[in-house]
């Protein structure tokens, strides 16, 4: 697969096809975060977000930035969010947001009571971390958090502060960027970050497909593998075999195409493109898995 840098992507694709110029509304949870966590006056929030978003989009023109999807605070909408927050606040556990972008989900966790020392963020572009502080105006509030930059596909990239240190990994909009084999390699790195004990969790959502397989990426030179429930279960069985670990996979594919929910005409959004939601929990021999609470 060809992974383009930002300049190459701009040269090969009209990135403004996934850019929303006007911000007409802020989701209530994000507005509350900006007002109460960041202390930004209500009438200044839209302009503040717009300014930081434009700086981020000029750095990396991802659809999730251009279309303002970072405003949705996806982790907090997951049915298992309450469990995640409880494990951070009462059990002194740790969470890594892999592919954290501007760190919006980490801010929601901190606002809801998670100690900043329990929070880790990772992205390939370290400039996102500074942009996140600019967006949320919380460098002092989040002083205890750890941010790590690096490419999970590079064998030479080392992450000693993460190895075996993480209880929960949030990995949304991450694996779907890669081919099957690349996803295996990335997931293997993520497994290595988790604590080698029953209950370690990887949670998130990503682009999936009714019919699993390799699809066009953001440009004609790239492909990525999109899972359905069956392929995702097989994928984690393969990851477990490669890493010598065992994982219980619970996944759900939306019944509605993403295209049907968004007014888009993007080449990579074929019919049958749907969101895949998942929770993957580490098991150990003899471990009796806890019954899953809320369904995805």
């Amino acid at each position: 697969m060809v992974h383009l840098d930002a300049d190459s992507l701009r040269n090969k694709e009209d990135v403004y096809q996934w850019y929303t110029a006007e911000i007409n509304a802020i989701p209530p949870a994000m507005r509350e975060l900006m007002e109460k966590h960041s202390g930004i006056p209500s009438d200044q929030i839209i302009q503040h977000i717009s300014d930081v978003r434009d700086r981020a989009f000029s750095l990396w023109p991802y659809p999730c930035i251009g279309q303002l999807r970072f405003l949705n605070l996806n982790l907090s909408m997951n049915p298992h969010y309450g469990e995640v927050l409880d494990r951070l606040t009462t059990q002194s556990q740790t969470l890594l947001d892999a592919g954290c972008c501007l760190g919006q989900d980490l801010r929601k966790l901190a606002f809801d009571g998670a100690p900043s020392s329990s929070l880790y963020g990772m992205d390939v572009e370290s400039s996102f971390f500074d942009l996140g502080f600019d967006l949320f105006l919380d460098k002092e509030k989040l002083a205890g958090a750890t941010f790590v930059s690096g490419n999970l596909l590079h064998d030479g990239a080392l992450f000693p502060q993460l190895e075996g240190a993480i209880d929960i990994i949030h990995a949304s909009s991450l694996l779907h960027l890669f081919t099957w084999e690349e996803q295996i390699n990335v997931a293997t790195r993520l497994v290595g970050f988790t604590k080698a004990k029953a209950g370690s969790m990887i949670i998130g959502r990503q682009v999936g497909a009714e019919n699993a397989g390799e699809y066009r990426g953001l440009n004609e030179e790239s492909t990525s593998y999109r899972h359905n429930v069956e392929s995702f279960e097989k994928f984690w069985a393969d990851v477990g075999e490669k890493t010598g670990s065992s994982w219980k996979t619970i996944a759900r594919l939306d019944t509605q195409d993403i295209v049907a929910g968004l007014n888009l005409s993007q080449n990579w959004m074929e019919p049958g493109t749907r969101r895949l939601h998942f929770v993957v929990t580490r098991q150990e021999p003899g471990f009796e898995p806890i019954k899953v609470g809320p369904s995805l």
Side-chain angles (χ1 to χ4, degrees):
M1 175 179 178
V2 177
H3 294 281
L4 298 178
D5 58 29
D7 289 336
S8 297
L9 182 57
R10 291 190 199 92
N11 292 336
K12 295 176 181 294
E13 198 73 23
D14 175 18
V15 297
Y16 281 93
Q17 67 181 296
W18 54 71
Y19 177 88
T20 301
E22 294 186 10
I23 305 176
N24 297 316
I26 305 296
M30 185 64 170
R31 177 171 286 279
E32 180 184 36
L33 194 62
M34 300 301 286
E35 291 179 351
K36 297 181 179 180
H37 174 80
S38 304
I40 300 173
S42 180
D43 61 352
Q44 298 177 24
I45 290 175
I46 287 180
Q47 187 60 55
H48 177 73
I49 290 175
S50 180
D51 291 344
V52 177
R53 186 280 301 266
D54 286 351
R55 289 165 56 200
F57 193 73
S58 68
L59 181 69
W60 274 101
Y62 287 141
C64 60
I65 295 174
Q67 293 173 338
L68 301 156
R69 294 185 218 153
F70 61 89
L71 299 181
N72 293 327
L73 304 177
N74 292 324
L75 177 57
S76 67
M77 294 188 285
N78 189 290
H80 291 266
Y81 181 72
E83 175 191 351
V84 169
L85 187 61
D86 180 71
R87 289 171 63 169
L88 297 178
T89 56
T90 70
Q91 302 178 43
S92 300
Q93 294 196 7
T94 54
L95 178 140
L96 168 67
D97 192 356
C100 66
C101 193
L102 299 176
Q104 62 275 3
D105 291 299
L106 296 176
R107 269 64 181 203
K108 175 62 173 170
L109 285 165
F111 178 68
D112 287 341
S116 63
S117 59
S118 70
L119 304 177
Y120 293 72
M122 164 183 266
D123 209 287
V124 69
E125 178 52 66
S126 62
S127 297
F128 283 145
F129 308 151
D130 289 332
L131 284 165
F133 286 125
D134 290 347
L135 178 63
F136 292 100
L137 306 177
D138 61 355
K139 200 157 192 175
E140 291 185 3
K141 285 185 179 180
L142 233 65
T146 301
F147 290 92
V148 181
S149 63
N151 191 325
L152 290 170
L153 287 177
H154 288 176
D155 293 336
L158 301 177
F159 307 97
Q161 62 272 70
L162 300 178
E163 297 293 340
I166 305 299
D167 295 286
I168 304 165
I169 295 178
H170 176 229
S172 285
S173 301
L174 177 65
L175 292 174
H176 68 213
L177 297 172
F178 311 116
T179 65
W180 175 285
E181 288 302 323
E182 290 168 336
Q183 289 183 32
I184 291 285
N185 293 335
V186 169
T188 297
R189 300 295 293 267
L190 296 181
V191 167
F193 297 156
T194 63
K195 294 178 181 177
K197 65 178 185 180
S200 291
M201 174 190 290
I202 301 175
I203 185 171
R205 75 176 199 178
Q206 62 191 45
V207 173
E210 187 176 14
N211 298 310
E214 295 284 344
Y215 286 82
R216 181 194 189 276
L218 290 180
N219 62 87
E220 294 180 353
E221 297 181 6
S222 66
T223 63
S224 60
Y225 194 94
R226 297 179 192 168
H227 289 279
N228 57 22
V229 172
E230 293 74 20
S231 73
F232 200 67
E233 291 173 344
K234 180 183 184 307
F235 172 79
W236 276 100
D238 289 355
V239 171
E241 182 176 350
K242 181 175 180 179
T243 59
S245 59
S246 177
W247 297 83
K248 179 178 178 63
T249 303
I250 298 175
R252 174 181 63 83
L253 194 68
D254 281 352
T255 57
Q256 184 183 47
D257 287 5
I258 294 177
V259 177
L262 298 172
N263 184 21
L264 302 176
S265 58
Q266 298 162 21
N267 293 328
W268 52 276
M269 298 287 278
E270 298 89 348
T273 302
R274 300 178 180 181
R275 287 193 180 94
L276 180 78
H277 310 259
F278 61 88
V279 177
V280 188
T281 308
R282 188 165 189 152
Q283 315 291 298
E284 293 298 336
F287 173 67
E288 188 67 28
I290 299 173
K291 290 185 179 180
V292 174
S295 59
L296 283 171

